[in-house]
Each structure stands twice: as structure tokens, then as C-alpha cells.
Amino acid sequence: MALDLRLTDLLDRDRLPGGGGPLPLLLYIPCGLLLVIFRIFFGLQLLLMLTVLPKGSIIRRILLRVSSKILGIAVTHEGFENFNKDQHKLVVTNHVTCLDNVAVETILPSVMPYSRCDCPWLLKWVLGYQEFSADKQRENVDREIKEYLQGSDFPLLAFPEEKITNGKRGLLKFNPWCFQFSSTVLPAVITVRRPLFVPIPPHVLGSGWWQDFSWSLFVPYTLYNIRFLPPVESKVESKAEDISSDIQKHMASSSGLTPTSFTAQDVKDLEAVHRNPQSQESAPNGSTPPSQPLNSTSRNTRLARMVQQVREVLPQVPSSAISRDLSQTHCVDTTITNILEGRVSYTPEKEDREAKSDSDGKTASSGNANEKTSTTPQIKFSRNSEERQRLLNQRKAQMLENARRRFRDNQL
């Protein structure tokens, strides 16, 4: 993962543009409202007509493309010749809008389990998705999906990122769940573009399906480009986790993105923070109110555990500074790197040794000696990324060992 890539780089925060964007948008508002009304009363009626036609029929596909264009979903594709319906039972793509599955359906009829699709039940019904029993054990449901795919003419469509990103910087870590259903995977990369005079992102942090869909009806169009990559065959002995990691890297390298270790759960945690901004507000001069660190860490056990992991390596860094950076990166290694490279401003904490009794003098002197040992000279980072990473890992290991030694000595 790139050292300077944060979780917030994968997500858009503001729906409306700044700078010179608002004026063209204001002039467009009357046209946008008319488009919304027209699309609701005409385009959605065409979509409902799809339910009476067999899934995969030519007429249905033509009607779906027409209705999608009326709704503002324009789709282009590349590399469709890589698809073989007899061999490819699994198609995976990145997730950049709430209507990615509709865009894929216009090119390649596919199925999704109800539980793995976050769109409304009406759209699932229109697209012919399958409802597998939710009251069964997960192993039984997975087996039912495998049996269905063996006799189905349509591949399984999956979004292993599981959360929507902006698709500009990187890919979230893939969930390996879907890679158990087929030994041959057809990856695809989706990119979207909207008119420059209405630069409204398809999704922003914390927005719901209906919000994204409403803005999609408002803009003139959303252009989807679906690029099907060559299929990837996995070895029999390969684990689903290894397959998901390899395909994530393959899709990222083919589209100029970065494969990250951020997960869908990290995005959910960031959404929770975004909905409660008071928990991350800071006082002037970058300091945090005294009651704030306890409130923010107690609301998120996972964040508190990550703060503790950083503190074990860098005990002199205040928890408030660590928490602020972790709320952005959601990665212990990235936060440690940011602190070591001076990207996080903080006032070092000093250990209180005046309260110790005279009988602990030996322990105090031992602690002072360890403090001297733990003082690590400033490392000048090389321009070579591999050398810089090696030096950082060496520094982290040294500081962690010093922290452990100090902890053992304090127990004596």
C-alpha cells in the first residue's frame, strides 16, 4: 500500500462542487428537475416491463439498454470477447456507484444473491436476482449457490470491495467469499464520468442508495465504461484469500490503482465518524479537549485497540494525536509511518517519575537508562521506496523492542 494513501483518498466527501462549479449548476437546476420527473414517469415504466420478459432474451436486453439510457445510464464496454458463458461463472468488478449492477446487466446478464445486493427489492426483482434462504447456515447457502450456478446460463456478479469508492486512487481489500464458487474468474474494471458542467460525484461518504439514485436522475448522464480483463484461473490448492489478493492486485495494476488493505468495515467505521463529527472535533492549536479521547475511543473498541498498538511502538505520542490520524488512515502501519515521517503534529508525553518512592530508585534509574537506549537517531529517508520501507521497518522493530524492554524492567 502506498505510504501516502489514506482511506479518505478513496472516498468523496462533498456532493456539490466548489470554486467555479456552483454557477453552471444553478443554471442547470430547472433542466435537472425536469429530467427527474420525466425519468420517473417514463423510464421506470420501461423497467417494469422487463419483468414479463425472460432474462437473457434479446428483446429484454434491448429494452433494458433503452430504459437505462433514458434513466441517464450510458454504457460502453471493452474486452467482452474475454467472456465465455460455459467457463466463466463468476464476474467480479470494482464498486463505484449504486447502479454498477444495472450497467453490467445491460452488457452481460448476471445474477446476484439478494443478501449481497444493497439495491431495493423492486430492482432486484426487475433484474431477476435470486433469493437464497436466509435462515440457513452459511455453508448450506454457499452450497445452494454453487448448485444454482452449475445449471445457470448466467454468471454470478460480485463486488468484493463491498463498499462504494470513487475509483480514482485505490481498491479496497477484497472479501474472499465469492471466490469459492468458480476456479475461473472474469475480472472487470468500471470507470464512470459525468459532464464537466455538472461535476457531481456518484457517491459521497455516508450517502444512501436513494440519495445516489436521485442525483443520478438529476444529472444529464453517467457514462460507464466496463473493461473486461482476461480471465484468471486459480490453482486447485489456492485458498480463497490468496485468490482474492491476486485478483485485487491484477485489477489495480491494469487500471493504475493501488491495492490497499482498507476493508469495507473501515469504511463503515469512517461513516460512523462522519455521522458524528463531534467525536473528532479538536480544540485550537491541534489539541484535543480532555474529555474527547475517552469519548471517541470508548465508542469504537476497534479504534481503541489500534491506538494501543501504536502506543506500544511509540509510547511518547499522545493517544489523541494517534486517534486523529487513525480516523483517517484506519491502518496501524500507516499511522506509525506518518508519525515517524513527521506528518502528525503532537507534544511528546513525559513519564511521571516524581511520584515513585525511594525504594523504586533502582527501577527509575533502569527506566532512565532505557529511555536513553530507546532514543533512536533521526533517519534520513532514501528516495528509493524499497530502501525507505526497509529503514522504516527497522526503526519500528527497534522502537518496539525498546518498549518491551522498558515494560519488563518496570515490572521488576
Side-chain angles (χ1 to χ4, degrees):
M1 185 177 63
L3 295 178
D4 59 343
L5 189 62
R6 296 170 176 255
L7 180 59
T8 51
D9 295 331
L10 309 182
L11 305 164
D12 291 319
R13 286 180 173 269
D14 300 320
R15 182 80 71 174
L16 299 179
L23 180 58
L25 183 59
L26 289 175
L27 297 177
Y28 172 76
I29 286 178
C31 298
L33 295 177
L34 290 176
L35 269 179
V36 172
I37 297 173
F38 171 78
R39 286 168 171 170
I40 289 177
F41 285 98
F42 187 74
L44 295 182
Q45 293 182 28
L46 288 178
L47 282 178
L48 293 176
M49 293 175 58
L50 300 175
T51 59
V52 302
L53 297 173
K55 185 177 179 69
S57 65
I58 297 179
I59 298 178
R60 187 181 188 277
R61 293 176 62 180
I62 294 176
L63 187 59
L64 177 61
R65 292 186 182 185
V66 173
S67 57
S68 297
K69 288 183 178 180
I70 292 176
L71 292 174
I73 304 174
V75 183
T76 61
H77 62 88
E78 309 172 38
F80 187 71
E81 63 276 3
N82 292 321
F83 174 70
N84 187 322
K85 68 177 183 179
D86 296 328
Q87 298 179 0
H88 305 146
K89 295 297 183 179
L90 175 62
V91 178
V92 298
T93 76
N94 57 324
H95 205 7
V96 290
T97 76
C98 67
L99 297 174
D100 291 340
N101 53 336
V102 178
V104 174
E105 185 75 16
T106 62
I107 305 300
L108 177 61
S110 54
V111 294
M112 290 186 71
Y114 268 42
S115 59
R116 294 287 172 171
C117 183
D118 58 357
C119 61
W121 69 267
L122 178 60
L123 185 58
K124 299 176 186 178
W125 178 53
V126 170
L127 296 177
Y129 290 164
Q130 299 297 314
E131 183 177 10
F132 298 96
S133 300
D135 56 346
K136 296 182 180 180
Q137 296 294 328
R138 176 176 175 178
E139 294 78 7
N140 297 334
V141 175
D142 292 345
R143 184 172 63 252
E144 187 176 343
I145 295 176
K146 290 180 181 179
E147 294 175 354
Y148 173 83
L149 290 177
Q150 290 178 358
S152 174
D153 293 331
F154 311 110
L156 176 70
L157 175 63
F159 302 112
E161 288 183 291
E162 296 189 327
K163 295 295 288 186
I164 298 175
T165 67
N166 55 26
K168 299 175 182 177
R169 298 290 302 276
L171 295 176
L172 296 177
K173 184 178 180 179
F174 284 4
N175 187 329
W177 169 82
C178 62
F179 296 98
Q180 61 179 303
F181 299 116
S182 177
S183 60
T184 304
V185 181
L186 182 67
V189 177
I190 300 177
T191 56
V192 295
R193 181 172 60 85
R194 283 179 170 173
L196 295 178
F197 63 91
V198 191
I200 299 176
H203 176 79
V204 295
L205 181 65
S207 63
W209 192 92
W210 286 107
Q211 292 173 292
D212 294 345
F213 179 66
S214 300
W215 283 103
S216 180
L217 296 179
F218 176 80
V219 300
Y221 65 85
T222 303
L223 179 60
Y224 292 77
N225 179 261
I226 305 176
R227 184 161 54 93
F228 294 94
L229 305 177
V232 178
E233 295 186 4
S234 59
K235 298 180 180 179
V236 178
E237 64 275 9
S238 299
K239 297 181 179 180
E241 292 80 3
D242 297 332
I243 299 173
S244 65
S245 178
D246 292 342
I247 293 181
Q248 181 203 26
K249 294 176 182 177
H250 173 57
M251 292 175 59
S253 62
S254 64
S255 53
L257 302 177
T258 301
T260 73
S261 59
F262 300 125
T263 65
Q265 184 60 46
D266 293 331
V267 178
K268 291 180 182 179
D269 293 342
L270 187 59
E271 289 175 346
V273 174
H274 181 73
R275 285 190 291 266
N276 298 278
Q278 295 81 5
S279 63
Q280 295 297 325
E281 288 180 353
S282 299
N285 301 325
S287 61
T288 305
S291 62
Q292 199 60 39
L294 293 177
N295 292 336
S296 61
T297 55
S298 62
R299 292 177 184 177
N300 193 329
T301 305
R302 184 171 182 271
L303 181 61
R305 185 171 64 251
M306 295 170 70
V307 170
Q308 182 61 30
Q309 292 174 352
V310 178
R311 289 272 295 175
E312 291 176 355
V313 181
L314 304 171
Q316 76 278 13
V317 182
S319 298
S320 57
I322 298 174
S323 178
R324 284 197 302 270
D325 193 72
L326 279 174
S327 66
Q328 301 293 323
T329 64
H330 284 257
C331 179
V332 172
D333 289 338
T334 304
T335 293
I336 292 175
T337 300
N338 290 340
I339 295 173
L340 294 179
E341 292 188 344
R343 298 175 184 171
V344 179
S345 58
Y346 65 92
T347 301
E349 292 183 345
K350 297 181 179 179
E351 296 182 354
D352 185 10
R353 301 191 177 274
E354 297 178 356
K356 292 191 175 183
S357 62
D358 295 336
S359 60
D360 293 335
K362 181 178 179 180
T363 303
S365 60
S366 176
N368 292 333
N370 286 333
E371 282 184 356
K372 295 179 181 180
T373 305
S374 62
T375 303
T376 306
Q378 183 87 15
I379 292 180
K380 296 182 179 180
F381 290 92
S382 171
R383 293 186 178 181
N384 183 278
S385 59
E386 295 182 357
E387 178 67 14
R388 183 169 61 251
Q389 185 63 38
R390 187 186 66 81
L391 292 174
L392 282 174
N393 293 336
Q394 181 181 359
R395 181 178 173 85
K396 293 176 190 175
Q398 181 179 357
M399 298 187 72
L400 180 58
E401 180 62 27
N402 291 336
R404 290 174 177 172
R405 186 185 303 109
R406 181 167 57 252
F407 176 79
R408 289 194 302 266
D409 292 341
N410 289 337
Q411 298 300 314
L412 296 176

